[in-house]
């Protein structure tokens, strides 16, 4: 699945779950999200698409009231730290606290002239 | 290496000038700096002009107005560090012996965007997903408050102090003092920041004239020596980074102090990049004015207020003086030079001999910030 906002950076797997697709360098093992054409650690261009872990820890977040017209406001955004060492900037939903275990899903984060804007969204993981 | 000094400074009051274009904003600052230096304008051999959003050929457009074009003009873009980066290039040029007298310009017109947050480049992944400067600094603040138990009232006191200083500065955009309650009850922008914890949108220009020390001492009896001039870029990190400690400024401060042969205790006055309330606390710590986690306590002790041990942002800083992005670095130098000359009037830091300026910015994915430029001046 290719959303207008996220392009090839996410997929919906056979079980209907949202999976972020990052990159893993075949030469040095460095990981990044989203996948880049060149490795920022060793300049290799041999980078495999790699599904990222679906859950991680909320590092920091803010509820934002002033932003471009297209975003649904107030919007909650933050950084989620994945267990593979990658940090992901994401829209968030729900009542949250730093340190919460978060899980990737799909959500509508805004609307523009082409309709609703869909994105991966992290929510508090079910216990 | 030739030593370099500041021999002239000038600026226009920061504010909103919707009817003026970028050249209209810039030329009066340049003329004021030339008048302050008391030199024949034709003695300026090269110009370095910084703007983030002013467009192409801004230096030429400004100098054309004054009949000063025809010399080498370099236009510099480095986000909030644009004119401080231009200053760095100008210092290198004089140090190298290429020129004796050069001009630095910083100019910006943000009122053309009609308000709201600073527009960022949507080619950037996180910006595309909705990251803005208030949101970025807000996340730093949230994590800092979480890690160090800092309260909203303590953040608000940064704005209270800087607005108090700004009230004493005729060049400041915001000249009204505010209380902690007023700061906290202003409208929410990005939690925990209310409006009065965010620098205002505005327009402005500032200019600096540099000379080799040999030339400087013939121009005036009180040139301000450039003790250190430093520029660096952020390090790209795809993984985790500590948002409570600004990597680029910590590194820049360390390198700059090493170059100057000075430490944080040698600084009498500083202008640091307080784009949002939290930023000033982070920079107290990054420069070593206090240990990690003690920024709010340092502020509450009064040490960074006028009359304190190390007054920070006597001009009002970005929060009160304003932050026309590309003009900020040069305007910080205007303030520090006035402080070191003893010309700062009611906001004068008594006996200030060594001053520091710090402009950092550029919100891009994977970086603490894109650029950071620090300068140390001495009378």
């Amino acid at each position: 699945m290719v959303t207008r906002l996220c392009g090839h950076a996410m997929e919906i797997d056979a079980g209907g779950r949202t999976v972020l697709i990052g990159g893993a360098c075949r030469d040095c093992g460095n990981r990044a999200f989203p996948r880049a054409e060149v490795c920022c650690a060793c300049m290799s261009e041999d980078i495999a698409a790699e599904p990222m872990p679906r859950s991680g820890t909320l590092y920091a977040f803010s509820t934002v009231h002033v932003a471009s017209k297209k975003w649904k406001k107030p919007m909650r955004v933050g950084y989620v730290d994945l267990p593979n060492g990658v940090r992901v900037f994401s829209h968030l939903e729900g009542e949250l606290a730093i340190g919460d275990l978060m899980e990737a899903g799909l959500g509508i984060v805004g609307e523009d002239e082409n309709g609703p804007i869909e994105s991966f969204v992290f929510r508090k993981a079910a216990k | 290496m030739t030593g370099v000094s500041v021999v002239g400074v000038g600026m226009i009051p920061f504010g909103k000038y919707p009817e003026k274009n970028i050249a209209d904003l810039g030329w009066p600052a340049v003329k004021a700096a030339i008048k302050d230096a008391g030199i024949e304008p034709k003695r300026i051999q090269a110009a370095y002009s910084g703007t983030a959003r002013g467009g192409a050929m801004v230096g030429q457009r400004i100098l054309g107005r004054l009949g000063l074009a025809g010399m080498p003009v370099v236009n510099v873009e480095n986000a909030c560090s644009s004119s401080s980066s231009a200053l760095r290039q100008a210092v290198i040029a004089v140090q190298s012996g290429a020129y004796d007298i050069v001009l630095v310009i910083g100019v910006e017109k943000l009122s053309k965007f009609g308000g709201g947050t600073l527009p960022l480049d949507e080619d950037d992944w996180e910006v595309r997903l909705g990251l803005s400067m208030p949101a970025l600094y807000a996340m730093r603040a949230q994590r800092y408050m979480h890690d160090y138990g800092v309260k909203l009232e303590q953040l608000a006191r940064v704005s209270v102090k800087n607005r108090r200083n700004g009230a004493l500065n005729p060049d400041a955009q915001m000249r009204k003092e505010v209380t902690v309650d007023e700061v906290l009850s202003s409208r929410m922008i990005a939690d925990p920041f209310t409006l009065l914890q965010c620098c205002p949108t505005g327009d402005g220009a500032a200019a600096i004239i540099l000379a080799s020390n040999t030339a400087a001492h013939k121009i005036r009896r009180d040139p301000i020596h450039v003790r250190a001039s430093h520029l660096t870029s952020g390090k790209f990190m795809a993984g985790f980074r500590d948002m409570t400690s600004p990597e680029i400024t910590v590194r820049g401060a360390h390198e700059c102090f090493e170059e100057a042969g000075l430490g944080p205790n040698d600084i009498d006055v500083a202008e640091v990049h307080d784009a949002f309330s939290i930023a000033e606390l982070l920079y107290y710590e990054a420069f070593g004015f206090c240990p990690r986690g003690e920024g709010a306590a340092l502020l509450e002790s009064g040490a960074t207020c006028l009359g304190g041990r190390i007054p920070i942002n006597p001009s009002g800083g970005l929060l009160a003086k304003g932050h026309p992005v590309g003009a900020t670095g040069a305007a910080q130098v205007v303030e520090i030079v006035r402080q070191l000359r003893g010309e700062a009037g009611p906001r004068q830091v008594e006996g200030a001999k060594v001053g520091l300026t710090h402009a950092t910015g550029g919100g891009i994915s994977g970086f603490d910030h894109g650029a950071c430029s620090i300068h140390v001046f001495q009378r």
Side-chain angles (χ1 to χ4, degrees), chain B residues 92-237:
Chain B
I92 292 171
V94 176
Q95 282 175 336
S96 75
Y99 308 116
D100 279 328
I101 300 179
V102 301
L103 170 70
V104 177
I105 307 170
V107 63
E108 204 74 70
K109 180 176 174 172
L110 295 181
S111 65
K112 70 181 179 185
F113 296 113
T117 63
L118 186 70
L120 302 178
D121 193 337
E122 294 219 358
D123 279 356
D124 185 87
W125 173 256
E126 292 182 355
V127 172
R128 179 181 165 82
L129 288 181
L131 188 65
S132 62
M133 295 313 291
L136 179 63
Y137 276 96
M139 288 189 282
R140 290 174 181 150
Q142 292 288 7
R143 186 73 205 195
Y144 186 88
M145 293 165 73
H146 171 269
D147 287 3
Y148 296 110
V150 167
K151 304 284 180 253
L152 292 171
E153 293 74 19
Q154 294 177 292
L155 277 188
R157 286 198 183 99
V158 175
S159 302
V160 172
K161 172 182 76 73
N162 290 351
R163 290 287 288 256
R164 194 190 309 136
N165 293 351
L168 302 174
N169 183 359
D171 289 328
Q173 181 170 348
M174 311 305 260
R175 300 213 52 206
K176 191 173 147 295
E177 291 194 39
V178 294
T179 64
V180 168
D181 283 347
E182 284 169 329
V183 173
L184 293 178
S185 62
S186 58
R187 81 187 154 94
M188 186 58 78
I189 303 296
D191 185 26
F193 300 144
T194 52
L195 182 67
L196 294 179
Q197 294 177 69
C198 307
C199 58
T201 296
D203 312 323
I208 307 160
I209 295 175
L210 297 180
S212 65
N213 282 348
T214 313
H217 284 284
K218 290 177 190 157
I219 291 168
R220 64 188 305 152
R221 57 171 182 79
D222 59 350
I224 301 298
H225 183 53
V226 181
R227 181 81 186 245
S229 173
H230 188 267
L231 170 66
T232 191
S233 62
K235 286 185 177 167
F236 183 85
M237 287 175 273

Side-chain angles (χ1 to χ4, degrees), chain B residues 32-375:
Chain B
I34 292 171
K35 184 170 176 237
D36 181 52
I39 59 167
E40 176 61 34
K42 300 275 187 252
R43 291 185 67 190
I44 298 169
Q45 296 161 298
Y48 298 81
S49 177
T51 184
R53 306 300 305 248
M57 299 287 109
V58 167
Q60 285 88 335
R61 283 191 262 161
I62 291 168
L63 293 174
R65 294 289 185 90
L66 296 167
L68 283 176
M71 66 173 98
V73 176
V74 178
N75 291 288
V76 177
E77 184 282 306
N78 227 359
C80 306
S81 311
S82 291
S83 58
S84 47
S85 299
L87 170 62
R88 174 73 188 120
Q89 305 317 304
V91 168
I92 292 171
V94 176
Q95 282 175 336
S96 75
Y99 308 116
D100 279 328
I101 300 179
V102 301
L103 170 70
V104 177
I105 307 170
V107 63
E108 204 74 70
K109 180 176 174 172
L110 295 181
S111 65
K112 70 181 179 185
F113 296 113
T117 63
L118 186 70
L120 302 178
D121 193 337
E122 294 219 358
D123 279 356
D124 185 87
W125 173 256
E126 292 182 355
V127 172
R128 179 181 165 82
L129 288 181
L131 188 65
S132 62
M133 295 313 291
L136 179 63
Y137 276 96
M139 288 189 282
R140 290 174 181 150
Q142 292 288 7
R143 186 73 205 195
Y144 186 88
M145 293 165 73
H146 171 269
D147 287 3
Y148 296 110
V150 167
K151 304 284 180 253
L152 292 171
E153 293 74 19
Q154 294 177 292
L155 277 188
R157 286 198 183 99
V158 175
S159 302
V160 172
K161 172 182 76 73
N162 290 351
R163 290 287 288 256
R164 194 190 309 136
N165 293 351
L168 302 174
N169 183 359
D171 289 328
Q173 181 170 348
M174 311 305 260
R175 300 213 52 206
K176 191 173 147 295
E177 291 194 39
V178 294
T179 64
V180 168
D181 283 347
E182 284 169 329
V183 173
L184 293 178
S185 62
S186 58
R187 81 187 154 94
M188 186 58 78
I189 303 296
D191 185 26
F193 300 144
T194 52
L195 182 67
L196 294 179
Q197 294 177 69
C198 307
C199 58
T201 296
D203 312 323
I208 307 160
I209 295 175
L210 297 180
S212 65
N213 282 348
T214 313
H217 284 284
K218 290 177 190 157
I219 291 168
R220 64 188 305 152
R221 57 171 182 79
D222 59 350
I224 301 298
H225 183 53
V226 181
R227 181 81 186 245
S229 173
H230 188 267
L231 170 66
T232 191
S233 62
K235 286 185 177 167
F236 183 85
M237 287 175 273
F240 304 166
R241 64 195 144 90
D242 181 356
M243 291 180 77
T244 69
S245 182
E247 178 277 324
I248 186 171
T249 297
V250 170
R251 186 163 42 85
H254 179 79
E255 291 170 1
C256 191
F257 281 143
E258 195 168 89
E259 180 187 334
L262 298 173
N265 293 333
D266 298 310
I267 305 299
D268 298 317
V269 56
E271 290 275 308
V272 305
H273 202 86
D274 59 325
F276 298 88
S277 55
I278 186 65
E280 186 166 306
L281 303 184
L282 297 180
Y283 298 138
Y284 291 168
E285 298 171 19
F287 281 103
F289 298 139
C290 68
R292 288 280 300 274
E294 295 181 18
L298 184 72
L299 172 64
E300 285 172 315
S301 77
T304 59
C305 300
L306 286 171
R309 172 170 67 81
I310 167 73
I312 306 287
N313 289 324
S315 72
L318 283 59
L319 285 169
K321 186 174 60 189
H323 184 32
V325 174
T328 285
Q332 291 175 327
V333 177
V334 173
E335 176 68 13
I336 290 299
V337 166
R338 287 175 178 166
Q339 289 285 350
L340 298 183
R341 286 187 195 156
E343 296 174 350
R347 62 183 196 285
Q348 179 65 44
V349 176
E350 286 308 320
K353 286 197 174 76
V354 180
L356 179 147
T357 60
H358 162 250
T360 183
I364 44 179
S365 301
F367 290 84
D368 173 65
H369 272 305
C372 177
S373 184
I374 302 169
H375 286 79

